[in-house]
Amino acid sequence: MLASTLEILNRELSKALYETALMMLISTLIGISVGLLMGLYLYLTSEEKFYKNTPINMVIGTIVNIVRSIPFIILVVFSLPLTFLITGTKIGPIAASVPLSICATVFFARIVEGAFKDVDKGVIEAAFAQGASNFLIIKNVLLVEAAPAIVRGITITFISLIGFSAMAGMVGGGGIGNLAIQYGYYRYETGVMLFTIIALVAIVQIAQLIGDFIAKKLTH
Amino acid sequence: MISFKNVSVVFNKDGKDFKAVDNVSLDIQKGQFYGIVGTSGAGKSTLVRTVNQLQKVSSGQVIVDGVDVTKLSNKELCDLRLHIGMIFQHFNLIKNASIYDNVAFALKASHTNKDIINQRVDELLSLVGLSDKKHMFPSDLSGGQKQRVAIARALANNPKILLCDEATSALDPETTKEIVLLLKEIKKKYPLTILFITHQMEVAKSLFDKIAVMSDGRLIESNDAYSIFAHPQHEKTKSLVKQALYLDIPKEVLFEKAKYLLITYKQECAYEGVIAYIAKNYKVEISILAGKIEYILQKPLGILAISLKGSDQDVAQALTYLESKAFIHEFSVGDLC
C-alpha cells in the first residue's frame, strides 16, 4: 500500500499543492480586499456619525445574506456563467477561484463590519471632537482599533476557504481536496487520504498560529 | 465666549420624546473656569456636547466666539473642533496606538507639518509630565496618566476652549487632585476658557470660578462658586452642596431633643461673635458639635454644626437672629446616615 501511495503522491502532489495554493491565493486576496471595503461600507452606511444611508445599507446587507445562505456547492454551479465570463473556462483552479472569492468576500465583509462595530464608541467620538476628517478617523482610529479583530477574521476566512477549496476540487477545481476525493475516496487509497488530511491539518495549524501571532502583536 | 441660547435637545426613545436638555440659556465669559454640576442624568454631558456639535440641538443656538455653531457645515465643524479641546471620563485614547501616535493624531487632524509634529508632541508630553512614556501604549498607563495624555492631545492645536466631561470621575481621589492641579496650572499658562462637567462637588469646590447647576435637563441655578456653596438657593443645589461640605458628626452626640443646625456664615460675620451673642442674649443652650473652614477660590467659608436647646419660643427667637447673620440648614439624625 505504501508503495502505491508514494507513487500517487509523487505523481500528483506537486500539481495538487500548486492548484490549492493558486485557489487560496486568488480567493484570499480578493476576499480580503473586496470584503474589507464591503465591510467598511456596511459599517459607514449604518453609522449616524459617518455616512448613514439605510436603503443602501439594507440592499448590500441583503445581498450579502443571500449569498451567504447559498450552500457553497450550489454557489459554484450558480456562478458558472459568471465564472465562464470572467475566466473563459469552467474548470481548473482559476475557474474555482471565482465562487471561492465571492464566498470569501461576503463572509469576510460581515466579520469586518462586526470588527468596526466593536470599536469603542468613545474613542471615535474623541476623534471627531479633535476635528479629524472622516478619512483620517477611518485610517488612524477605526482600522487601528479593529486591526486585531480583522486579522483574526482573515485567519478564520482563510481556514474556511481551505475547506471550501476542497469542495471546489470536487467540481473540477483540482487541488489537495481533489486528491483526497479522487484517490483516497473513490479508489480506496487510504494512505493518500491520510496524507492529505495531515497536510490540511498542518496548513490550518500554521495559518492559525501566524494569525494569532499577528493579532497579538497588534493588540495593546 | 460660549453662549447657550434657549438650547433644547430632545431624544426619541421608544417613540417617546425625552428632553435631555430643556431650554437652557447660559453665558460663559472668556477665560472663565466654568463648572456645570448636577446628578447623573441631569443633561450636563449632552449640553457640553452641543458646544462642539458632537450633539445636534433640537432648538436654540450655541454661539461660540461669535459664531452660531448649530449652522456650520461639516467642513467648518472640523475647523471649529480643532480649536476646542475635549477630555472625557474614560479618556478615550486609541488603545492600539502609542502615546506618541495618540497625541500626534490631533496634530495630523490639523494638517500640521510632519517635521513639527515630533517636536510638538515632545513639548506636550513634557507639559503633562509624561516625556518618558512616549513609546508606551495606553494599557501600560494608569488612569491618571491616561487622562494626562488626553489633556496633552486636547491642547495640541492650542485651543481657545477646553471641554471636560466628567474628566476626573473615573479617578481615585488622589489622582483627581493631581489632575485638578494640572488643569489649574495649564489654565495659568494658557488663555483658556474651560467648561467642566462634573457630579463631584469636591472637584467643583477647588476648581471653578462660576458654577451652573442642572437638574432634569434644566438649569436651576447659576452663580459664582463661593455663593453656590455659601448660600445655595435651590433644594437640589442644597443637597449637592451638603455632600461637599459634609461634617463628620458622631451620631452619639445627637441623642438629645434639640434643634440641629448647619450654618455657613455670611462673609462679613465673624465666628465667635454670633455664637457668643446668642449665648448671652437668648435663653437657649447652644453647643457646637463640629466645624470647619473650607476654602473656595481662596475665600474662607466657615461651616458649623450646632444644637439649640430651650423653650420653643426662645429657640425661635434665637433662630430669627441667626438667620439674619448666617445661612442655616436644619438637619436631623437621619441626614448623617
Side-chain angles (χ1 to χ4, degrees):
Chain A
M1 192 184 87
L2 187 65
S4 81
T5 302
L6 286 175
E7 190 265 325
I8 294 165
L9 287 177
N10 193 28
R11 178 159 39 88
E12 301 282 351
L13 185 63
S14 59
K15 183 165 170 277
L17 277 177
Y18 167 74
E19 286 168 345
T20 295
L22 194 61
M23 282 190 283
M24 293 302 297
L25 185 73
I26 296 172
S27 56
T28 307
L29 281 182
I30 293 179
I32 286 172
S33 46
V34 182
L36 184 67
L37 288 176
M38 200 183 249
L40 180 64
Y41 199 69
L42 276 171
Y43 171 79
L44 295 177
T45 52
S46 71
E47 288 293 314
E48 197 76 61
K49 290 229 180 320
F50 290 98
Y51 309 101
K52 190 174 172 84
N53 189 327
T54 312
I56 290 185
N57 185 273
M58 277 181 60
V59 169
I60 297 181
T62 310
I63 292 172
V64 167
N65 288 347
I66 291 172
V67 177
R68 285 198 63 191
S69 53
I70 301 172
F72 182 68
I73 253 340
I74 312 287
L75 182 72
V76 173
V77 181
F78 236 56
S79 60
L80 275 178
L82 180 70
T83 304
F84 190 71
L85 192 76
I86 297 172
T87 65
T89 173
K90 287 180 185 176
I91 51 168
I94 305 269
S97 299
V98 175
L100 279 173
S101 301
I102 294 173
C103 179
T105 301
V106 291
F107 184 73
F108 190 56
R110 281 294 186 205
I111 291 179
V112 169
E113 185 196 13
F116 286 143
K117 283 202 165 155
D118 280 345
V119 173
D120 187 341
K121 297 265 181 299
V123 177
I124 297 170
E125 186 182 42
F128 275 109
Q130 289 172 75
S133 65
N134 286 350
F135 177 74
L136 191 68
I137 295 174
I138 292 167
K139 184 166 86 70
N140 285 12
V141 180
L142 270 180
L143 282 172
V144 171
E145 292 293 76
I150 290 175
V151 170
R152 277 192 290 273
I154 292 175
T155 315
I156 295 171
T157 309
F158 183 81
I159 289 171
S160 311
L161 276 179
I162 291 175
F164 288 136
S165 74
M167 264 194 261
M170 215 176 150
V171 288
I176 297 179
N178 188 41
L179 196 65
I181 292 161
Q182 294 302 328
Y183 291 90
Y185 184 61
Y186 292 142
R187 298 192 199 172
Y188 307 105
E189 289 284 352
T190 314
V192 177
M193 176 84 89
L194 278 176
F195 181 82
T196 51
I197 290 172
I198 291 166
L200 289 173
V201 168
I203 295 173
V204 169
Q205 283 291 354
I206 291 167
Q208 189 70 52
L209 277 174
I210 295 173
D212 285 349
F213 177 77
I214 299 174
K216 205 176 163 206
K217 277 270 160 209
L218 293 169
T219 311
H220 291 279
Chain B
M1 192 70 183
I2 307 171
S3 47
F4 299 98
K5 291 189 173 159
N6 306 101
V7 173
S8 292
V9 178
V10 182
F11 292 125
N12 194 299
K13 228 180 183 180
D14 308 322
K16 267 190 208 159
D17 280 348
F18 165 72
K19 275 200 166 175
V21 175
D22 191 357
N23 200 19
V24 168
S25 296
L26 184 66
D27 279 310
I28 293 157
Q29 305 300 323
K30 196 171 179 166
Q32 274 179 341
F33 206 133
Y34 209 112
I36 298 182
V37 300
T39 48
S40 54
K44 316 180 291 288
S45 288
T46 311
L47 182 69
V48 77
R49 276 171 171 67
T50 63
V51 176
N52 57 0
Q53 288 291 292
L54 289 176
Q55 176 64 53
K56 302 275 175 217
V57 300
S58 303
S59 64
Q61 288 179 311
V62 183
I63 317 282
V64 177
D65 218 2
V67 180
D68 182 0
V69 297
T70 61
K71 300 205 167 56
L72 295 181
S73 70
N74 280 345
K75 175 77 186 59
E76 290 167 323
L77 262 183
C78 281
D79 289 340
L80 171 85
R81 286 169 179 166
L82 291 175
H83 302 292
I84 303 180
M86 186 165 187
I87 56 177
F88 302 85
Q89 179 172 11
H90 299 294
F91 327 123
N92 294 348
L93 301 178
I94 307 168
K95 292 169 196 68
N96 294 329
S98 67
I99 302 310
Y100 173 87
D101 285 332
N102 265 287
V103 180
F105 180 82
L107 295 163
K108 284 178 190 159
S110 64
H111 308 285
T112 308
N113 195 315
K114 266 186 192 154
D115 312 326
I116 302 172
I117 288 183
N118 198 3
Q119 183 199 339
R120 182 83 182 117
V121 172
D122 284 342
E123 266 171 45
L124 289 159
L125 287 180
S126 87
L127 174 74
V128 298
L130 289 178
S131 298
D132 53 330
K133 305 279 192 283
K134 194 172 163 184
H135 299 296
M136 291 192 171
F137 285 82
S139 59
D140 303 325
L141 304 185
S142 68
Q145 290 171 328
K146 282 182 205 170
Q147 197 60 292
R148 283 165 188 269
V149 177
I151 291 171
R153 177 174 77 171
L155 296 175
N157 294 311
N158 299 311
K160 288 178 257 174
I161 296 171
L162 181 63
L163 306 175
C164 309
D165 180 21
E166 297 277 8
T168 55
S169 303
L171 304 172
D172 60 63
E174 238 359 85
T175 319
T176 297
K177 238 177 241 168
E178 277 174 38
I179 296 294
V180 164
L181 281 176
L182 177 65
L183 285 173
K184 277 184 169 174
E185 215 172 282
I186 287 167
K187 181 81 173 47
K188 267 185 216 155
K189 279 188 205 166
Y190 298 94
L192 274 171
T193 306
I194 303 183
L195 182 56
F196 197 112
I197 305 303
T198 188
H199 68 269
Q200 296 170 296
M201 294 306 281
E202 284 297 320
V203 174
K205 205 164 65 185
S206 50
L207 266 184
F208 306 148
D209 304 326
K210 294 201 79 177
I211 294 178
V213 186
M214 276 185 84
S215 173
D216 296 324
R218 277 187 295 273
L219 189 75
I220 54 174
E221 192 170 344
S222 69
N223 210 333
D224 63 84
Y226 191 87
S227 305
I228 289 279
F229 279 98
H231 38 92
Q233 304 297 314
H234 199 279
E235 278 312 311
K236 280 267 163 69
T237 317
K238 283 180 187 167
S239 89
L240 278 169
V241 166
K242 206 147 84 180
Q243 296 161 21
L245 305 180
Y246 180 76
L247 281 172
D248 200 12
I249 308 165
K251 259 192 227 167
E252 290 71 33
V253 306
L254 299 178
F255 62 91
E256 287 178 286
K257 194 178 171 298
K259 212 167 195 54
Y260 295 106
L261 301 168
L262 204 58
I263 49 183
T264 50
Y265 285 90
K266 288 180 177 171
Q267 261 167 294
E268 61 277 11
C269 294
Y271 249 104
E272 307 83 359
V274 178
I275 302 293
Y277 188 88
I278 292 176
K280 227 183 259 172
N281 297 287
Y282 297 91
K283 282 199 215 101
V284 291
E285 207 176 294
I286 184 166
S287 35
I288 297 172
L289 307 171
K292 67 172 172 181
I293 298 174
E294 288 279 356
Y295 285 85
I296 292 164
L297 296 168
Q298 279 91 47
K299 274 197 284 183
L301 173 64
I303 311 141
L304 215 50
I306 59 165
S307 68
L308 288 179
K309 243 167 54 177
S311 71
D312 287 353
Q313 202 195 346
D314 291 333
V315 168
Q317 277 177 1
L319 265 179
T320 317
Y321 168 74
L322 251 183
E323 256 166 355
S324 69
K325 295 290 177 190
F327 297 94
I328 60 178
H329 318 284
E330 219 172 303
F331 69 95
S332 62
V333 183
D335 290 341
L336 297 177
C337 297

